[in-house]
Amino acid sequence: MNVLIVSPHPDDETLGAGGTICRYINEGHKVFWLNITTMRNSGLFTEEVIQYREKQIRDIDKFYGFEKKYQLDFPTTKLEEINTSKAIEEISKIINEVKPEVIILPDYNDAHSDHKYVFDWCYACTKTFRYPYVKQVMTMEILSETDFGRPENPYLPNYYVDITDYMENKLEAIKIYDTELGEPPFPRSLKNIEALASLRGATAGVMYAEAFKVLKCVY
């Protein structure tokens, strides 16, 4: 099975699906990673910060052992400046190359505007008459974004992946993004990442789980 996980920013893939990535790869599935934004073109960061972020990306790619990593050059926090047709065209090329059966996206109700743009662009590339190999599309739950979405459209997961055997892997992976972590009650903390997995595990009847919202499933 080919799986494509799409992150607006590096760390979203691990926050939302780090345990699932590890499980899928361990089970023999081919997991591809598409990261949409880069600090380098935003004009907001020093060269030192940019280089450290690029090191984090290399390290996380090596940690998971993705089948292939794709990196677009859209500027972080400035996706409203990107032409929609151009974005869809670039994403479509990658999807047609990977031919994923499963696509994992940020949720359309996430607080960060970058997440909303990424969802819209990617979801436009899942029409069954143009991408017939796509059998399942789901969104992931990203701490500090999904939990701060608009209250009239709360995140209601309907699909759970047991990551009990991979919880430690997820915590080790997120440590690579040390610049994104903080101490509780900050959402992106080791304690709160584990707490969310414990809560979702309780719902699913396992020790730890990651929760997703399935938008399309064809089997």
Side-chain angles (χ1 to χ4, degrees):
M1 178 172 74
N2 286 1
V3 179
L4 177 65
I5 183 162
V6 183
S7 58
H9 319 98
D11 83 351
D12 291 327
E13 81 295 331
T14 296
L15 288 168
T20 299
I21 292 169
C22 290
R23 176 171 174 170
Y24 280 174
I25 291 175
N26 187 61
E27 291 176 347
H29 303 298
K30 296 180 180 180
V31 180
F32 300 78
W33 178 30
L34 168 57
N35 186 62
I36 300 294
T37 67
T38 176
M39 287 181 171
R40 190 162 289 281
N41 295 335
S42 69
L44 300 174
F45 305 94
T46 65
E47 183 62 27
E48 181 181 10
V49 170
I50 292 170
Q51 288 186 9
Y52 190 68
R53 172 47 59 92
E54 291 175 349
K55 178 183 182 301
Q56 290 174 329
I57 293 171
R58 290 193 300 272
D59 289 348
I60 202 72
D61 184 25
K62 181 178 179 181
F63 179 90
Y64 286 124
F66 289 111
E67 190 72 18
K68 186 172 182 179
K69 173 181 69 69
Y70 296 88
Q71 174 69 60
L72 298 186
D73 62 355
F74 298 154
T76 185
T77 74
K78 296 183 177 182
L79 294 189
E80 71 278 359
E81 299 176 1
I82 303 301
N83 178 273
T84 295
S85 296
K86 175 187 176 183
I88 291 175
E89 180 182 1
E90 292 198 30
I91 291 168
S92 178
K93 287 179 182 177
I94 293 169
I95 290 177
N96 276 318
E97 179 179 323
V98 173
K99 291 182 167 52
E101 295 160 76
V102 175
I103 299 180
I104 303 175
L105 304 174
D107 195 65
Y108 47 84
N109 195 48
D110 284 0
H112 201 307
S113 61
D114 281 359
H115 290 221
K116 301 175 193 296
Y117 283 107
V118 171
F119 173 84
D120 287 342
W121 296 339
C122 292
Y123 199 59
C125 299
T126 65
K127 296 177 181 179
T128 52
F129 59 89
R130 288 193 176 142
Y131 309 88
Y133 41 79
V134 176
K135 302 301 181 184
Q136 183 168 311
V137 181
M138 56 189 182
T139 65
M140 55 186 163
E141 184 176 31
I142 299 172
L143 268 173
S144 76
E145 298 299 345
T146 311
D147 44 330
F148 287 94
R150 294 172 66 90
E152 65 268 23
N153 192 19
Y155 191 77
L156 300 175
N158 55 15
Y159 186 85
Y160 298 82
V161 175
D162 181 356
I163 64 164
T164 302
D165 293 338
Y166 303 96
M167 189 67 229
E168 288 303 317
N169 300 77
K170 175 169 181 163
L171 294 176
E172 286 304 308
I174 198 62
K175 288 177 185 176
I176 292 172
Y177 295 112
D178 56 340
T179 52
E180 302 301 317
L181 293 174
E183 294 298 322
F186 187 63
R188 294 194 305 272
S189 65
L190 296 177
K191 182 176 181 180
N192 286 330
I193 290 168
E194 184 174 1
L196 178 61
S198 178
L199 173 65
R200 294 313 189 189
T203 302
V206 298
M207 189 63 69
Y208 294 109
E210 287 172 335
F212 302 88
K213 187 191 297 182
V214 174
L215 306 182
K216 180 185 296 182
C217 187
V218 183
Y219 282 108

